[in-house]
Structure formats: structure tokens, C-alpha cells
């Protein structure tokens, strides 16, 4: 507790002067409990949502500082970097400063050995840089911020059960490498990797460095058997199913063309199995029964290249085989502009998922389905014409639900998200089945 | 014990509350007491005022028939927790009262109430600076020189080091 009564500190003198000058009564409520247990309970709840607040508590007084660096308080570390998007918005600037300082302080505590070791089970980092580089804060230094984060990650990795990360693609290889080098196989159960800045430069980098990235992602394989949740949002490009399965890159002449038999509909598209790369470069016989929740984003197709429904089915087959314990499946597609100027159309997965012609894959164990920002429209006739489904929201109407149930016979809840109106506001509809 | 279906609690000033034992099935302290000393007339809860104990018992009564699994003690704060509208009374409380309830819940070892009050207190601390937190709680052992000298917040420097 306290180190004993001090004589007169400058602040106490200031209080005394203020009191005399203004007659204002500055008195201590002293309402906070002396029981360390109760204070700790509160600190733990503060720490669960905000590391910045934990650090603020540590700066209140010496005894709170001791409590704030207690073992139970650092079970989770949250490091959001809420980057300002409006140049002269004071509130945004303040939030950015606070987040920036928090990362710096945590890195500093790591380096000084003040942070309890091996106790952190959850680490979250989020850097929401806007795509337009001129909107980045003047003081943003990608390398320095990355180094600070890597310091923290390397320190806490051995104890991690949950790792949630979202930042630019330039970080991807190092993050995966640092995580895999430090984390304990069998202990890590929830991984979210999201590299989503969609600038031309980033996408070009990703496309060029795909083989290297895949090699890094292969480091995750030892962790897959224990994973209960894996979320991957990764703008990898131009991967075929064979590449997906084997990890080999195909020579250009080997890439299937639009008129080949595996493209029965002859669509001028090629889907990108972007998020499926890496962790999903699995031996065809691999089975990971512990994985219960899977979220895939950027599940898209590109105009101007070949497209094959068969490939989608192959991917779904891969999921159904590799993840028999899957209970939650979220497919989240986004519209995206590519470096070459062509657009992607992130809608086909829904049509393919729900197609009724021929053989299709069922997910018998999936109880919760989220179909987000996909679309049912355009040239995909097997679904739209036969069933009259007009768009994504049709999926929560009786006819659409019937189709979903064919694919997900055990589904108990369905959530559909779509954008609507001039404002393109995101709408969400949930139904219990 | 005269009536095993009920339990009598005595607060710091001697006020007694007799309630069905089933209300307190989530209190580990009460359950331990019933097992070891249940033959006594009343259980003393010395550090709790009548007002606070009444509030705790109201909480227990509201949740007496909840079928959810009992929480571990202490509850894991990182697990998601949905606010229950039946507990709104705790959200409008002044800070000092809320702290008294947290202490009472801790004494009685009711993890559900500790989680509720600690979570509410954490939300009130959310986003506040050390100065604002001091103004809010004013810990009794505050030593001002600690506060001013403890400035490790700096810039992110090379290799993640801090440059002040």
C-alpha cells in the first residue's frame, strides 16, 4: 500500500493555496476500496477492454501501479490504432495520440521486463489506416510502429490462446513468422489475420510475393490441429485450386482457360481463392476436427479471367472434409478495385453455394451461417432464374431460407448482410431457422 | 438451523434479513456456511450495510431462477457478457454505491454480481486520464510525487523503444 505519509508535496501546497484563494473545498472522497481483491477485479475488467485504460490506472498512484502490473490484469492486451481520417478533427487526433502512446508504453514495459511474462492469453492489434496515403497522420512511421508491435508480440506469444490482427499487407510475413516462432502449438486456439489495405501498391506487393507469403503461412500448419477459430482476410491473388492444394505455382500456360471443360458456364471470370491460401494448402487427407468457426473474406471473382464453378465446389469440398467439426461459417465478400483497373465481383460464391444443379457439397454440422455482402444477381442463372432470388436479402425470405437449409441442414441461425440505397448502408438481417 | 429453506443474514449494524436459501445458491460464501455452520441461527455479514445487502438480495432474487451455468470465481473478464435489462438499477448508481456493491459481492462471493458491478465500474473508467480517475476515486494513499514522475508514455522509437 502507501509508502507512508509524505510531508508537503508541491501539489498539496497548490491545493492549499487554491483553497485559500478561492474558498473551493478540494476534499478527497476516498471512495475506492482498500481491499486489493476488489480493486483487482475492477482492473481486470478494465484491462479486458482497454490496455490504454489499464496504463492510465497504473499512473494514478503507486499502489495502483503495483496492482495494475499484477499477473491477472495482463491476460489480454488490446492495441487499436484508431488512425484519424479527418485532418482537423481534434477528437480523432486525441484518440490517435492515446493509441500511439499506449503501444509505445506497452513496448517499453516489455523491454524493461515490467510486464508479467507468460500470462497474456489474448492479443489484439488493429491499425485502420485509410487507403489514401495523404490522410495518414504525419507522424505515422510504419517501420517503428511495426517494430514496437513485434516486440510485444514476441514477448507474449508463448502464452497466447487468441491472436487477432488487422493491418497492412506489408506486415504479413513478419507477423506470421513472429507469431509462429513464439506461440505454443496446442495452446493457440483462435487466430484472426486480416491484411486488408487495398491500395494498388499493396495488392501489387501481395501478387508478386505470393510464394513467399505462402511459405510463411505454412508455418501455421502445426497450430491448425488445435485451432477452434480461424479467420483469414487476405488479398492474395491468382491462386488456382491446384496451387491451393499443393502450394505450387502454376506456369501461365497451365492456368485453365475459359473454354476448358471445368468451366461449364463459360463465364469470363476467375475467382480468387485469396483467403484460402496458406493455411489451406493442406494435404488432401488432412482433417482438423477442432476447428469450429471459420470466417472467410474477400471471396471474390475478377472480370477478364476465367472462372469455374467446379473450383468453388472443390474449395467447399475441402472445407467439408478438412473441418468436419465446423459449426459456424461466415463468408464475407467485398467489392474491390485491382491494380490493373479491373473490378472484382464478390457475388458468385453465394450463387455457387446455393446452386441446385448437379452435385453440391453439404455442411451437415454448421449451425450458424453468415453470408455477408455477397450478391445474387447477374449471369448466375442456376439460382436466380430457377428460384427467383433477386438479391442477398432474398436469402432471409422463405424461398431463400429453403435453399440455405439444403446446403446447411443443421443450421439454426442465418445472418445476411448487404448494402442498400444511395448511402450503401450496411443492412443486417438475422433469422432463426 | 431452525428453517433450512430460509437463511438469516445479519449486517454490520445488526439488521437482519431472512430470505429463501435458494436465492443465494450462487453465493459461494453462503453455500460454504450452510455446509459447515448451517445449524446456527444467522450468518453475519459484518462489512455490509443494510442498504447494500438489500440490493444484493434483490439481485439474487431476480436471478434465482436463472438456468445459466454458474460462473467461475473470479469470473473471466475477457469472456463476452451481455447486459441484462433486469440489472439496470446498477447502471444508474453513484460511483461510491456501486463500489460498495462490488465489495459486498466480493465478500459474499457472487461472481455474477462482481462481474456486473466491476464491468460497470470499468465502463465508467473507460477513456479517462489518470487525473480524471483521481478526481473520480481519489485513492487514499495517493502520493502526488509518484504521479508526476511516472511518465513512461513516449514516442515509438527505433526497434520499439521509447524516446521521451
Amino acid at each position: 500500500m502507501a509508502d507512508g505519509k509524505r510531508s508537503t508535496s508541491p501539489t498539496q501546497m497548490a491545493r492549499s493555496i487554491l483553497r485559500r484563494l478561492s474558498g473551493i473545498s478540494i476534499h478527497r472522497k476516498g471512495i475506492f476500496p482498500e481491499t486489493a481483491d476488489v480493486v483487482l477485479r475492477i482492473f481486470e475488467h478494465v484491462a479486458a477492454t482497454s490496455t490504454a485504460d489499464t496504463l492510465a490506472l497504473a499512473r494514478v498512484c503507486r499502489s495502483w501501479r503495483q496492482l495494475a502490473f499484477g499477473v491477472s490484469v495482463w491476460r489480454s492486451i488490446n492495441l487499436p490504432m484508431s488512425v484519424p481520417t479527418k485532418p482537423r478533427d481534434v477528437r480523432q487526433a486525441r484518440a490517435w495520440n492515446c493509441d500511439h502512446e499506449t503501444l509505445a508504453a506497452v513496448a517499453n514495459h516489455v523491454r524493461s521486463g515490467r510486464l508479467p511474462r507468460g500470462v497474456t492469453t489474448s492479443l489484439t492489434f488493429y491499425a485502420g489506416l485509410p487507403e489514401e496515403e495523404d490522410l495518414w497522420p504525419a507522424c505515422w512511421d510504419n517501420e517503428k510502429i511495426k517494430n514496437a508491435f513485434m516486440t510485444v508480440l514476441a514477448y507474449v506469444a508463448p502464452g497466447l490462446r487468441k491472436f487477432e490482427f488487422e493491418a497492412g499487407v506489408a506486415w504479413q510475413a513478419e507477423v506470421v513468422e513472429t507469431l509462429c516462432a513464439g506461440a505454443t502449438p496446442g495452446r493457440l486456439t483462435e487466430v484472426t489475420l486480416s491484411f486488408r489495405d487495398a491500395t494498388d501498391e499493396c495488392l501489387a506487393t501481395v501478387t508478386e510475393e505470393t510464394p513467399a507469403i505462402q511459405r510463411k503461412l505454412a508455418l501455421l500448419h502445426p497450430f491448425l490441429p488445435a485451432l477452434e477459430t480461424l479467420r483469414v482476410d487476405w488479398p492474395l491473388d491468382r491462386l488456382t485450386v491446384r496451387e491451393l492444394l499443393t502450394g505450387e505455382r502454376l506456369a501461365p500456360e497451365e492456368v485453365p482457360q475459359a473454354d476448358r471443360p471445368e468451366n461449364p458456364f463459360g463465364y469470363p471470370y476467375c475467382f480468387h481463392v485469396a483467403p484460402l491460401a496458406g493455411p489451406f494448402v493442406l494435404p488432401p487427407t488432412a482433417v482438423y476436427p477442432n476447428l469450429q468457426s471459420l470466417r472467410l473474406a474477400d471471396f471474390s471473382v475478377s472480370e477478364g479471367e476465367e472462372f469455374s464453378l467446379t473450383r468453388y465446389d472443390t474449395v467447399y469440398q475441402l472445407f467439408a472434409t478438412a473441418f468436419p467439426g465446423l459449426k459456424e461459417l461466415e463468408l464475407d465478400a467485398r467489392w474491390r478495385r485491382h491494380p490493373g483497373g479491373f473490378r472484382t465481383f464478390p457475388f458468385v460464391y453465394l450463387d455457387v453455394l446455393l446452386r441446385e444443379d448437379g452435385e453440391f457439397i453439404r455442411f451437415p454440422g454448421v449451425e450458424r451461417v453468415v453470408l455477408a455482402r455477397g450478391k445474387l444477381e447477374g449471369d448466375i442463372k442456376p439460382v436466380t432464374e430457377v428460384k427467383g432470388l433477386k438479391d442477398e436479402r432474398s436469402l432471409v425470405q422463405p424461398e431463400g431460407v429453403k435453399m440455405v437449409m439444403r446446403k446447411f441442414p443443421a443450421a439454426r441461425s442465418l445472418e445476411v448482410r448487404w448494402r442498400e440505397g444511395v448511402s450503401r448502408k450496411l443492412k443486417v438481417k438475422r433469422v432463426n431457422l | 438451523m431452525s428453517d433450512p429453506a430460509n437463511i438469516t443474514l445479519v449486517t454490520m449494524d445488526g439488521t437482519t434479513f431472512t430470505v429463501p436459501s435458494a436465492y443465494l445458491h450462487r453465493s459461494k460464501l453462503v453455500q460454504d456456511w450452510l455446509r459447515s455452520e448451517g445449524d446456527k441461527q444467522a450468518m453475519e455479514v459484518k462489512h455490509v450495510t443494510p442498504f447494500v445487502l438489500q440490493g444484493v438480495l434483490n439481485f439474487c432474487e431476480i436471478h434465482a431462477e436463472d438456468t445459466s451455468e454458474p460462473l467461475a470465481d473470479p469470473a473471466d473478464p475477457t469472456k463476452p457478457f451481455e447486459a441484462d435489462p433486469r440489472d439496470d438499477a446498477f447502471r444508474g448508481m453513484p460511483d461510491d454505491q456501486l463500489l460498495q456493491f462490488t465489495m459486498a459481492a466480493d465478500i459474499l462471493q457472487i461472481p455474477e454480481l462482481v462481474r456486473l458491478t466491476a464491468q460497470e465500474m470499468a465502463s465508467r473508467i473507460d477513456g479517462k486520464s489518470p487525473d480524471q480517475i483521481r478526481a473520480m476515486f481519489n485513492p487514499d494513499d495517493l502520493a502526488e510525487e509518484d504521479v508526476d514522475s511516472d511518465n513512461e508514455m513516449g514516442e515509438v522509437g527505433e526497434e520499439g523503444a521509447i524516446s521521451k
Side-chain angles (χ1 to χ4, degrees):
Chain A
M1 299 296 284
D3 289 338
K5 298 289 175 193
R6 314 268 172 168
S7 49
T8 309
S9 72
T11 315
Q12 284 169 329
M13 284 175 63
R15 277 200 172 125
S16 167
I17 293 166
L18 263 178
R19 197 177 293 124
R20 263 181 271 143
L21 284 175
S22 61
I24 296 169
S25 170
I26 303 173
H27 90 119
R28 291 186 166 181
K29 288 193 288 181
I31 61 168
F32 222 78
E34 289 181 9
T35 324
D37 277 358
V38 176
V39 181
L40 261 182
R41 290 294 91 79
I42 293 167
F43 282 17
E44 286 162 13
H45 280 269
V46 170
T49 52
S50 168
T51 300
D53 289 338
T54 309
L55 293 172
L57 291 170
R59 296 173 70 201
V60 167
C61 66
R62 188 168 290 178
S63 65
W64 280 27
R65 182 184 181 79
Q66 284 176 353
L67 290 172
F69 282 100
V71 166
S72 62
V73 177
W74 288 88
R75 287 195 188 115
S76 71
I77 297 179
N78 297 289
L79 300 169
M81 303 291 285
S82 43
V83 177
T85 51
K86 295 177 184 170
R88 279 180 286 279
D89 188 316
V90 176
R91 196 189 298 173
Q92 284 195 1
R94 202 180 295 140
W96 151 252
N97 280 336
C98 176
D99 293 344
H100 194 250
E101 285 180 356
T102 301
L103 174 62
V106 174
N108 198 31
H109 290 311
V110 164
R111 295 174 72 81
S112 64
R114 210 174 290 144
L115 215 64
R117 193 167 190 107
V119 300
T120 304
T121 57
S122 166
L123 175 63
T124 303
F125 179 88
Y126 168 78
L129 273 180
E131 289 183 18
E132 299 81 0
E133 214 163 313
D134 55 334
L135 291 179
W136 293 9
C139 55
W140 178 273
D141 185 323
N142 203 49
E143 278 305 303
K144 287 180 178 175
I145 289 172
K146 185 167 74 173
N147 286 339
F149 175 71
M150 293 302 169
T151 304
V152 178
L153 174 58
Y155 188 79
V156 302
L160 282 184
R161 292 182 189 280
K162 179 181 172 189
F163 178 63
E164 208 168 324
F165 181 88
E166 179 170 338
V169 289
W171 295 47
Q172 54 198 352
E174 273 181 81
V175 166
V176 174
E177 199 169 20
T178 309
L179 173 70
C180 295
T184 313
R187 185 175 175 85
L188 194 65
T189 55
E190 187 174 340
V191 175
T192 300
L193 296 170
S194 188
F195 303 92
R196 61 171 60 199
D197 50 340
T199 57
D200 289 356
E201 190 182 316
C202 287
L203 283 173
T205 306
V206 168
T207 306
E208 285 165 17
E209 297 181 359
T210 293
I213 295 160
Q214 278 193 288
R215 278 198 298 277
K216 298 288 181 192
L217 285 168
L219 296 172
L220 275 169
H221 284 179
F223 298 91
L224 283 176
L227 282 189
E228 291 170 4
T229 299
L230 175 64
R231 300 186 187 93
V232 186
D233 179 353
W234 201 301
L236 284 179
D237 205 355
R238 299 166 193 276
L239 290 173
T240 65
V241 170
R242 186 170 135 199
E243 291 167 318
L244 181 76
L245 290 169
T246 64
E248 296 168 7
R249 291 309 306 273
L250 298 186
E253 61 273 15
E254 289 183 279
V255 175
Q257 299 303 307
D259 56 355
R260 298 217 175 148
E262 69 170 309
N263 183 4
F265 300 96
Y267 296 124
Y269 305 119
C270 169
F271 77 74
H272 293 234
V273 286
L276 314 177
F280 297 99
V281 181
L282 309 169
T285 54
V287 177
Y288 301 104
N290 291 330
L291 195 104
Q292 296 181 6
S293 173
L294 180 65
R295 174 179 178 271
L296 297 169
D298 284 339
F299 208 48
S300 58
V301 297
S302 292
E303 187 179 15
E305 299 189 28
E306 80 284 5
F307 165 70
S308 162
L309 289 178
T310 314
R311 291 190 195 177
Y312 265 113
D313 272 354
T314 309
V315 172
Y316 292 136
Q317 177 70 66
L318 188 68
F319 295 166
T321 308
F323 309 121
L326 213 56
K327 292 203 166 110
E328 293 185 353
L329 180 63
E330 179 175 342
L331 300 176
D332 185 353
R334 293 185 187 84
W335 187 90
R336 181 185 288 287
R337 187 179 294 281
H338 272 235
F342 56 83
R343 294 181 305 162
T344 59
F345 296 87
F347 57 80
V348 179
Y349 79 82
L350 288 185
D351 296 87
V352 178
L353 191 65
L354 301 172
R355 64 192 279 218
E356 58 176 16
D357 63 309
E359 289 299 313
F360 60 87
I361 308 305
R362 285 191 173 82
F363 293 87
V366 173
E367 294 170 3
R368 180 170 175 267
V369 186
V370 181
L371 302 174
R373 287 174 279 188
K375 276 194 172 184
L376 287 164
E377 63 177 21
D379 301 328
I380 312 299
K381 293 173 185 172
V383 168
T384 48
E385 284 195 354
V386 174
K387 286 297 174 187
L389 300 181
K390 292 177 183 168
D391 50 32
E392 313 97 295
R393 85 194 81 174
S394 310
L395 290 172
V396 289
Q397 302 305 321
E399 203 58 42
V401 167
K402 205 191 296 178
M403 297 199 72
V404 172
M405 293 297 284
R406 292 174 66 235
K407 197 80 180 173
F408 303 98
R412 293 288 169 269
S413 83
L414 167 68
E415 182 174 320
V416 177
R417 302 177 201 150
W418 69 92
R419 294 205 175 270
E420 190 173 85
V422 180
S423 65
R424 308 293 295 150
K425 198 175 173 188
L426 188 67
K427 299 275 186 182
V428 179
K429 178 81 176 174
R430 292 184 196 91
V431 287
N432 291 321
L433 305 175
Chain B
M1 188 168 67
S2 52
D3 180 5
N6 292 315
I7 182 170
T8 300
L9 302 173
V10 185
T11 61
M12 63 196 308
D13 66 350
T15 308
T16 60
F17 292 84
T18 301
V19 294
S21 305
Y23 284 6
L24 288 156
H25 73 278
R26 287 179 193 263
S27 163
K28 301 200 172 27
L29 184 80
V30 170
Q31 294 308 311
D32 287 348
W33 185 84
L34 284 173
R35 273 190 292 274
S36 60
E37 302 181 60
D39 54 337
K40 292 186 178 171
Q41 286 300 313
M43 177 180 171
E44 290 185 344
V45 194
K46 284 182 181 170
H47 301 285
V48 182
T49 64
F51 169 77
V52 173
L53 185 58
Q54 180 66 65
V56 171
L57 293 174
N58 287 346
F59 173 87
C60 292
E61 184 179 356
I62 289 170
H63 293 276
E65 292 181 4
D66 286 2
T67 53
S68 57
E69 283 285 306
L71 289 178
D73 187 22
D76 181 357
T78 60
K79 286 199 173 161
F81 156 58
E82 268 188 36
D84 187 331
R86 295 176 296 172
D87 301 326
D88 280 350
F90 290 94
R91 294 193 183 86
M93 257 176 207
D95 295 337
D96 53 346
Q97 270 184 26
L98 189 64
L99 281 167
Q100 287 178 41
F101 277 101
T102 313
M103 283 188 280
D106 187 60
I107 290 168
L108 288 162
Q109 295 174 36
I110 307 173
E112 288 79 4
L113 185 54
V114 172
R115 179 180 65 176
L116 170 69
T117 52
Q119 182 76 54
E120 173 62 19
M121 192 51 73
S123 71
R124 293 182 191 190
I125 289 170
D126 182 25
K128 289 195 167 53
S129 68
D131 281 338
Q132 288 169 319
I133 299 171
R134 269 178 223 121
M136 194 174 164
F137 300 114
N138 225 336
D140 289 334
D141 64 344
L142 190 67
E144 308 293 349
E145 46 272 66
D146 297 341
V147 171
D148 297 331
S149 65
D150 180 23
N151 184 20
E152 72 269 344
M153 310 292 265
E155 291 296 309
V156 179
E158 296 298 337
E159 297 174 5
I162 303 301
S163 50
K164 285 188 182 175

